Amino acid sequence: MNVVKRDTLKNRSRSSALGKGKRIGGRGLPWSSHMVSGRDQNQILGRVPMVTPKYFVPSSSMQAGFSGCNIGMSASSGTGRRQFSMFPSSSGSGSHPRTSSEIRTPRSVTTSTSDGISTCVVALTEGRGQARGEVGIAALDINYPHLILCQISDSQTYVNTLTKINVLNPIEIIVPNTFCDTQAMSKLYTLVQEAFPTVTLSSVLRKHFRDTRGLQQIQHLCANEYSSIEIVVSQKFYALAAAGALLKYIEFVRNVLFAPRSLKVEYQGSQNTMVIDMKTAHFLELILSLRGSNNQYSLMGVMNHCQTNGGVRLLRSNILEPPCLLETILTRLDCVQEILESSELNLALESLMPKFCDVNHLLALCMQMPRQDSKEVAETQMKYTLLLKTTLEILPTLRLALQNCESRFLCAARECLADERYQNIHCKILSVLHDDARTAKGAEASQMQCNFAVKAGISGILDLARQTYCEIVSDISALVARLASEHSLPLKVNYNGNWGYHIQLSQSKRHISESDLPPVFVQVHKNRNTLSFTTQELIQVDRRSKETLKEIIMLSNVVICDLLADIRSDIGCLFKLCEVIAELDMLTSFANLGSVSTYVRPQFGRVLDIRQSRHPILDFILQHEPVANDVFASSDYNCHIITGPNMGGKSIYIRQIALLQIMAQIGCYVPAQAATFRISDHIFSRLSFDDSIECNASTFVLELKEFQFIKQVMTPNSLIIVDELCRGTSCEEGTAIAWVIMEQLMEEDAFIFLTTHFLYLTKLQELFCNVTNHHFEAVQETTDSGRDRLVYTHKLLPGVTPVDNYGLHLAQGLACPESVLDNAKKLAQKLSLQRKAFGSSVTNSDMHNYYKLASTVIECVREGTFSAQKLEEMKQKIFMKVGENDGTEAWDEDGGALQEEEEVVQSLGTVNNEMHASTSLPSLQLLKNKGRSCTSKESYAKIFSDEFFHENAAEDKAEGAVQEEATDEVVASMPEVQECVQEEEPMEIESTCTHEGAVNLSPIISLPEEIQ
């Protein structure tokens, strides 16, 4: 990628001067003598247009030889001007030209505000050799001067780096030229290209990525309030290198120069935020809807009631990176609750927040030093100075609204607004500007405010220029009055930015056509019932007024620049003000959403327990309330398999769980009757069935790669949602691989929600105590025409779906031909008999009771409530449950079962008594995890006794042989089944418990495909 030096038309003379080697900005940095030409940046709403003059466009011959050598000084054919290269490549390998069809345009963030266009530029670099994978990131929003540094130790998939870039939402990414070497292109560069196809990628020489230069720039530009950041980033070499290149690029290419000690610098780590990869964010519809670019039907669209650009930006970053610190979450929830409970506070905030919509622009005003003196720059500085004055005048009202607040954040916001520096800045502004000067709407009103905002007596030349302007305006008014009298027409003076001063004639009182106007009136335009025109005399007077007006603006700008230079010493308080306003706006938006009576405040603990929860997006867009369902998961029951017919609601349900988790962790109320969440540090998902032509990978290959990555980085606090695991291959292989994958994922305490049509996976519950089965209800009924159909209730029930052949029911409802349906039903019936013949195992209640007992002991030890009395209570409970579930079979004549149970409970006591407090809990957890995957008596034996395992291993093998013989007898007694099966071998589960308690489950798959 290459860099284009872009200059506005107003800066052409300055660009030529720079080409001669002059130094700029007093920084002592000589301009380079070469220009590397590349793609142009399209103009985006809300951004300063960057124009590339014709003489900066490379010739075709230069483009042809671009990748092989540096571009020297060459004159353009039509203008005689020279091209200059910035950040030239010493080897030429950094150039990576694109054709016109490959030129990328910067993307914009989709927000509800008119000024919510992203202007963030990101610099990216990576270590080499042994340091490969150490990524440095620096980001700076030109309109919001806030430098963000980040250094990530990433894997070869660079998922954390891509996630961070997605959160920053850049319009341009700067990389070293060695990244895009055509012979050895960086893997990170390739991944960024694929992940962000609409973002401009620009390459600069790697020598500009210097950490020493970056640290010097930060020391020079960082505001005093944030100077402690130097201690944090002093050893973050790659982040500093990215910062050095970024700041130099912003200064020389973007023409933005920051004043010393005026920049906010922040280091953002990823240890205290939830990680949501880009695919998960896309398919969960966090920012954009899957329907298209509209964000109305996304989580961002549902939650975005913000009134300020800073609030929208903060909401977006929190949705993509929810905080993981419980203290932060509870502080936000306390604030939202207080806003909801105080209607007066809620109304005050909703009325005040729109007045702070442009507060972020104040930072650019006070920190960016203009590189040229022009009328447009002077007008912008005057408008933002008036905006700063208006904002400071609103602060006392906001502080008064927060006077009686008690929550931590609102109290901190009130203290922030009491900073004396706001008053100091306001006093300095009032010493220069009139008390009643403020921002105004309309061209004429805004022009008058800017012209006469500066007090009289500060600049004698300015006072004289304004007096001259007033006389010219009086002359214009007298001229129009004379013309109205001469021609007996109701004429009036009007002013706008395009026409200047001109004459208007309303046709509502007197209809006059254009041809009836006297010839003295020229440039006639008609707009509805109004005629606009001027005269030659008025044109000359208007020209004089414009010249005088420009002089007033430039003289006022001299006073404003002196004022801003005086204000910059107190600039740090404006950073804090923008932060407080943005978060207050976001929390007010949460309160607006939580005001719905069906939303509740979430609680946090060690389980996931949501009662009557609803999908937040469906709850927003549907005209009726969606069906509510419960969600429960804990470390003891962390794997949940969900079955049911197509269109039953399985996919919506697992997406709903992830969305509610995100809403709770950013501090928002959730749509439910009651909700308790466990803080999650990572959300993994497999929700799509895409393939990758570029990587030569099918859907199934990508799926296996994703699960390999999930297995490597998952933690006990992760949330995993999977929609139809391994359906990209045959039923037999998909079932086998899905079984093994689920076994591996269940080794951790991560919460897993799996939807599947592979009903054999539901047998995991019979072998693993931490697995539960659920299904979505579908009622079969017969229509008046005699056809069967399914009625979807979208209600989640325990157990496996009892509906057979639901795919055929759905096909029947879609008017599938009768002949096809009849043949399919016959074949499905035969296959169903074959599947049912190879019997079902009996759920072992002993195993589940033992597992519950071990889980209860661990919970008691964790809470510090384990005692002799508690042990006796658990003893009684386990005896009662075993007696109720197993009947007389639980007790043999010799009292062997009783003795066995007593040994069980006694061993519980010895475990806690003999272990030290620091090791008892981890040891118990390890023993419980081993017991998850053992069957029958082996389960408890592997938790607390190895001897019991050896005594009963032979007995278990004998029981397995008896079950196989019984299955053979069933097959032999059913000729039709035996004929259908013929030489096929039944599906078995070989469960081999080793001495260490590990389980190796290898499904022997030989059945035909299950009917889905």
Side-chain angles (χ1 to χ4, degrees):
M1 295 303 152
N2 310 298
V3 176
V4 176
K5 173 66 179 69
R6 306 177 181 91
D7 286 282
T8 60
L9 292 176
K10 297 182 286 295
N11 296 334
R12 290 184 181 180
S13 60
R14 174 177 171 275
S15 300
S16 301
L18 292 177
K20 298 176 183 179
K22 290 189 177 182
R23 301 177 184 267
I24 56 176
R27 302 293 297 276
L29 295 175
W31 194 254
S32 180
S33 61
H34 298 278
M35 165 65 74
V36 177
S37 178
R39 76 171 76 96
D40 294 334
Q41 186 115 347
N42 288 353
Q43 179 176 342
I44 302 179
L45 293 177
R47 295 179 52 208
V48 178
M50 310 301 290
V51 181
T52 304
K54 293 182 179 179
Y55 48 82
F56 279 138
V57 178
S59 62
S60 57
S61 60
M62 291 170 59
Q63 290 180 344
F66 188 68
S67 60
C69 62
N70 292 332
I71 300 177
M73 299 175 61
S74 59
S76 181
S77 57
T79 63
R81 295 183 182 265
R82 294 180 176 180
Q83 294 184 324
F84 304 103
S85 160
M86 192 177 71
F87 305 142
S89 174
S90 58
S91 63
S93 61
S95 59
H96 190 64
R98 290 177 175 271
T99 62
S100 58
S101 61
E102 295 176 317
I103 293 178
R104 298 173 178 173
T105 56
R107 69 174 182 177
S108 62
V109 62
T110 55
T111 64
S112 62
T113 59
S114 60
D115 198 21
I117 304 299
S118 172
T119 54
C120 179
V121 181
V122 169
L124 190 67
T125 186
E126 183 187 12
R128 294 181 286 185
Q130 295 295 329
R132 186 170 299 279
E134 195 75 14
V135 181
I137 301 175
L140 181 64
D141 194 323
I142 300 174
N143 291 340
Y144 181 69
H146 176 193
L147 178 62
I148 298 175
L149 303 178
C150 182
Q151 186 162 316
I152 301 173
S153 298
D154 214 342
S155 63
Q156 290 303 308
T157 59
Y158 296 99
V159 61
N160 294 326
T161 301
L162 297 177
T163 300
K164 190 64 179 180
I165 296 176
N166 186 42
V167 173
L168 295 172
N169 190 32
I171 60 169
E172 186 172 9
I173 300 176
I174 305 167
V175 297
N177 64 323
T178 54
F179 269 36
C180 48
D181 192 335
T182 55
Q183 296 179 356
M185 190 173 296
S186 168
K187 183 178 181 181
L188 176 59
Y189 179 82
T190 304
L191 293 175
V192 170
Q193 274 189 318
E194 296 173 354
F196 305 99
T198 60
V199 177
T200 303
L201 291 175
S202 303
S203 67
V204 299
L205 286 179
R206 190 176 184 92
K207 69 178 182 180
H208 296 292
F209 286 83
R210 292 186 298 169
D211 58 298
T212 54
R213 178 61 180 169
L215 184 58
Q216 292 174 1
Q217 290 280 67
I218 290 175
Q219 292 172 346
H220 177 68
L221 298 175
C222 183
N224 294 328
E225 288 77 6
Y226 303 94
S227 59
S228 60
I229 195 67
E230 298 175 15
I231 302 175
V232 180
V233 302
S234 60
Q235 300 299 319
K236 306 295 182 181
F237 303 110
Y238 298 104
L240 291 174
L246 176 63
L247 291 172
K248 192 169 185 179
Y249 181 86
I250 292 294
E251 179 180 349
F252 285 97
V253 178
R254 294 284 182 169
N255 290 322
V256 176
L257 179 64
F258 295 103
R261 300 293 177 184
S262 65
L263 197 63
K264 177 184 176 181
V265 183
E266 179 185 1
Y267 181 80
Q268 293 184 355
S270 57
Q271 64 273 14
N272 294 325
T273 58
M274 179 197 297
V275 179
I276 304 174
D277 60 85
M278 290 180 55
K279 273 194 173 182
T280 300
H282 173 68
F283 288 105
L284 287 179
E285 299 179 296
L286 297 186
I287 304 300
L288 294 177
S289 171
L290 293 177
R291 299 183 179 184
S293 60
N294 187 9
N295 69 341
Q296 180 180 0
Y297 301 121
S298 64
L299 184 63
M300 177 77 177
V302 171
M303 302 183 65
N304 184 15
H305 300 279
C306 298
Q307 303 293 330
T308 67
N309 296 323
V312 174
R313 186 186 297 111
L314 182 62
L315 174 61
R316 182 186 184 277
S317 63
N318 273 266
I319 289 177
L320 293 175
E321 277 189 327
C324 290
L325 293 178
L326 182 60
E327 182 180 1
T328 302
I329 301 171
L330 295 180
T331 300
R332 291 181 177 180
L333 288 172
D334 292 340
C335 178
V336 173
Q337 182 176 353
E338 185 169 1
I339 296 175
L340 286 173
E341 293 176 350
S342 175
S343 58
E344 182 180 354
L345 176 61
N346 197 355
L347 291 175
L349 292 177
E350 288 186 352
S351 62
L352 288 173
M353 283 300 105
K355 298 180 181 179
F356 293 98
C357 60
D358 296 322
V359 68
N360 289 336
H361 294 300
L362 304 179
L363 298 176
L365 167 71
C366 298
M367 280 173 288
Q368 293 184 10
M369 301 175 65
R371 305 290 286 271
Q372 67 274 346
D373 295 330
S374 65
K375 179 183 175 183
E376 289 76 10
V377 173
E379 288 179 341
T380 301
Q381 292 206 134
M382 175 60 76
K383 289 179 181 178
Y384 284 149
T385 303
L386 293 176
L387 176 62
L388 175 59
K389 176 179 177 294
T390 305
T391 301
L392 294 176
E393 291 173 350
I394 305 174
L395 294 186
T397 306
L398 179 59
R399 184 185 176 191
L400 182 62
L402 303 177
Q403 184 175 4
N404 299 322
C405 295
E406 298 179 355
S407 62
R408 182 185 305 178
F409 172 75
L410 295 180
C411 291
R414 185 177 63 234
E415 294 177 0
C416 172
L417 298 178
D419 195 328
E420 295 180 354
R421 287 177 292 180
Y422 299 125
Q423 186 65 27
N424 295 338
I425 295 176
H426 191 222
C427 292
K428 292 178 182 179
I429 293 176
L430 291 179
S431 65
V432 176
L433 304 183
H434 285 288
D435 295 347
D436 56 350
R438 56 180 50 86
T439 55
K441 294 182 179 180
E444 186 174 7
S446 177
Q447 191 71 63
M448 291 301 103
Q449 288 287 343
C450 293
N451 291 346
F452 298 94
V454 179
K455 289 182 177 180
I458 295 179
S459 173
I461 301 178
L462 175 61
D463 295 341
L464 181 60
R466 288 193 293 202
Q467 183 179 355
T468 304
Y469 181 78
C470 291
E471 292 175 357
I472 294 175
V473 173
S474 298
D475 294 342
I476 292 175
S477 299
L479 174 61
V480 174
R482 179 171 58 83
L483 291 173
S485 176
E486 290 178 358
H487 301 285
S488 300
L489 295 173
L491 305 179
K492 67 177 184 178
V493 181
N494 191 37
Y495 176 87
N496 61 36
N498 296 326
W499 279 58
Y501 285 102
H502 59 281
I503 305 172
Q504 277 193 344
L505 173 62
S506 177
Q507 293 182 321
S508 59
K509 298 180 180 179
R510 180 179 174 182
H511 180 73
I512 299 177
S513 63
E514 299 180 21
S515 60
D516 294 337
L517 290 174
V520 68
F521 299 121
V522 296
Q523 299 180 7
V524 182
H525 294 274
K526 183 178 181 180
N527 183 15
R528 296 184 180 179
N529 294 327
T530 303
L531 291 177
S532 300
F533 45 85
T534 185
T535 66
Q536 292 296 336
E537 184 179 1
L538 181 57
I539 290 175
Q540 295 178 1
V541 178
D542 180 61
R543 185 180 296 113
R544 287 172 49 205
S545 71
K546 290 181 178 179
E547 294 174 355
T548 307
L549 184 63
K550 181 178 179 180
E551 185 178 356
I552 293 173
I553 293 174
M554 299 306 295
L555 290 173
S556 299
N557 187 49
V558 174
V559 179
I560 294 300
C561 288
D562 294 338
L563 173 62
L564 295 178
D566 191 19
I567 289 176
R568 286 193 179 102
S569 59
D570 297 324
I571 193 64
C573 63
L574 292 183
F575 278 115
K576 191 63 179 177
L577 175 63
C578 291
E579 293 176 8
V580 169
I581 294 300
E583 188 159 3
L584 191 58
D585 185 29
M586 184 184 70
L587 296 179
T588 304
S589 175
F590 291 170
N592 190 352
L593 185 64
S595 61
V596 182
S597 59
T598 54
Y599 277 60
V600 297
R601 170 173 175 161
Q603 305 297 325
F604 290 89
R606 287 192 290 270
V607 299
L608 176 64
D609 187 5
I610 315 175
R611 303 298 175 86
Q612 297 299 297
S613 64
R614 305 182 305 279
H615 194 288
I617 301 178
L618 293 182
D619 194 43
F620 176 76
I621 65 176
L622 294 181
Q623 297 181 353
H624 57 85
E625 188 175 285
V627 178
N629 286 295
D630 294 344
V631 180
F632 180 82
S634 65
S635 59
D636 301 327
Y637 301 96
N638 64 317
C639 181
H640 306 272
I641 301 176
I642 304 166
T643 57
N646 305 93
M647 300 176 59
K650 303 185 298 297
S651 300
I652 291 293
Y653 178 73
I654 61 175
R655 284 174 166 86
Q656 168 185 320
I657 297 171
L659 292 177
L660 295 179
Q661 181 76 38
I662 293 172
M663 291 181 67
Q665 284 196 214
I666 63 177
C668 183
Y669 282 31
V670 296
Q673 287 185 0
T676 301
F677 293 87
R678 184 184 72 174
I679 293 181
S680 177
D681 58 4
H682 207 139
I683 292 183
F684 298 98
S685 71
R686 174 62 185 175
L687 302 173
S688 66
F689 305 100
D690 299 333
D691 53 15
S692 177
I693 300 177
E694 296 83 359
C695 300
N696 192 26
S698 65
T699 300
F700 184 61
V701 172
L702 287 181
E703 191 172 22
L704 294 182
K705 288 184 177 180
E706 289 184 9
F707 277 104
Q708 181 184 12
F709 167 73
I710 292 175
K711 176 60 180 174
Q712 290 173 352
V713 301
M714 66 182 293
T715 67
N717 292 324
S718 299
L719 174 63
I720 305 173
I721 56 174
V722 184
D723 193 8
E724 299 187 26
L725 177 59
C726 292
R727 83 167 190 176
T729 185
S730 65
C731 179
E732 293 86 355
E733 292 179 344
T735 302
I737 298 175
W739 185 288
V740 176
I741 289 176
M742 292 302 296
E743 280 185 346
Q744 294 182 356
L745 294 182
M746 286 188 295
E747 293 177 359
E748 296 284 354
D749 285 340
F751 292 164
I752 307 169
F753 292 89
L754 165 70
T755 68
T756 184
H757 292 296
F758 296 159
L759 298 183
Y760 195 81
L761 291 180
T762 60
K763 294 182 179 293
L764 284 167
Q765 185 183 24
E766 301 172 5
L767 298 174
F768 294 88
C769 299
N770 56 326
V771 179
T772 64
N773 287 323
H774 296 82
H775 71 280
F776 276 90
E777 183 183 29
V779 181
Q780 295 181 351
E781 65 176 28
T782 305
T783 61
D784 296 336
S785 59
R787 304 188 69 173
D788 295 335
R789 70 171 185 176
L790 291 178
V791 178
Y792 302 102
T793 65
H794 303 295
K795 201 66 182 175
L796 185 70
L797 300 176
V800 185
T801 177
V803 181
D804 291 330
N805 303 329
Y806 44 76
L808 294 177
H809 286 90
L810 182 60
Q812 189 173 8
L814 298 176
C816 192
E818 292 292 339
S819 59
V820 175
L821 288 175
D822 291 341
N823 292 333
K825 288 179 181 179
K826 292 178 182 178
L827 180 59
Q829 186 176 7
K830 292 182 179 180
L831 296 178
S832 178
L833 289 175
Q834 177 186 3
R835 185 175 70 248
K836 291 180 180 179
F838 301 105
S840 60
S841 58
V842 181
T843 302
N844 194 324
S845 60
D846 286 351
M847 177 178 63
H848 288 273
N849 285 331
Y850 299 152
Y851 184 73
K852 291 178 182 178
L853 179 60
S855 301
T856 305
V857 172
I858 291 175
E859 190 68 22
C860 292
V861 173
R862 182 183 287 116
E863 297 177 355
T865 60
F866 191 70
S867 61
Q869 182 179 1
K870 191 73 175 179
L871 185 62
E872 187 65 27
E873 292 177 1
M874 286 190 290
K875 181 193 300 184
Q876 297 299 327
K877 286 183 180 180
I878 189 64
F879 287 166
M880 291 174 61
K881 288 182 179 180
V882 173
E884 292 174 358
N885 295 334
D886 298 340
T888 56
E889 295 178 2
W891 312 97
D892 56 22
E893 296 179 357
D894 300 332
L898 178 61
Q899 182 179 1
E900 181 181 316
E901 300 296 343
E902 289 179 349
E903 293 176 356
V904 168
V905 181
Q906 289 176 2
S907 60
L908 286 175
T910 58
V911 166
N912 189 61
N913 292 333
E914 295 178 359
M915 292 185 190
H916 297 290
S918 60
T919 60
S920 60
L921 184 58
S923 300
L924 283 172
Q925 183 68 46
L926 178 62
L927 293 173
K928 187 194 77 169
N929 290 340
K930 290 182 178 180
R932 281 181 177 178
S933 57
C934 295
T935 59
S936 187
K937 298 178 182 179
E938 296 172 352
S939 171
Y940 193 79
K942 290 314 301 175
I943 296 179
F944 297 108
S945 173
D946 287 337
E947 297 179 359
F948 189 81
F949 168 80
H950 295 293
E951 294 175 359
N952 295 275
E955 180 181 350
D956 289 338
K957 289 185 178 180
E959 290 178 358
V962 172
Q963 291 180 358
E964 291 181 4
E965 293 177 1
T967 303
D968 294 339
E969 293 178 1
V970 172
V971 175
S973 63
M974 301 176 64
E976 63 275 13
V977 175
Q978 188 174 12
E979 179 182 357
C980 182
V981 176
Q982 294 180 356
E983 297 180 357
E984 297 288 348
E985 292 293 332
M987 180 183 292
E988 300 175 342
I989 295 295
E990 295 182 356
S991 177
T992 307
C993 293
T994 65
H995 184 70
E996 291 76 16
V999 178
N1000 179 20
L1001 297 177
S1002 54
I1004 303 174
I1005 307 298
S1006 58
L1007 286 180
E1009 292 186 4
E1010 296 176 322
I1011 303 299
Q1012 301 185 25

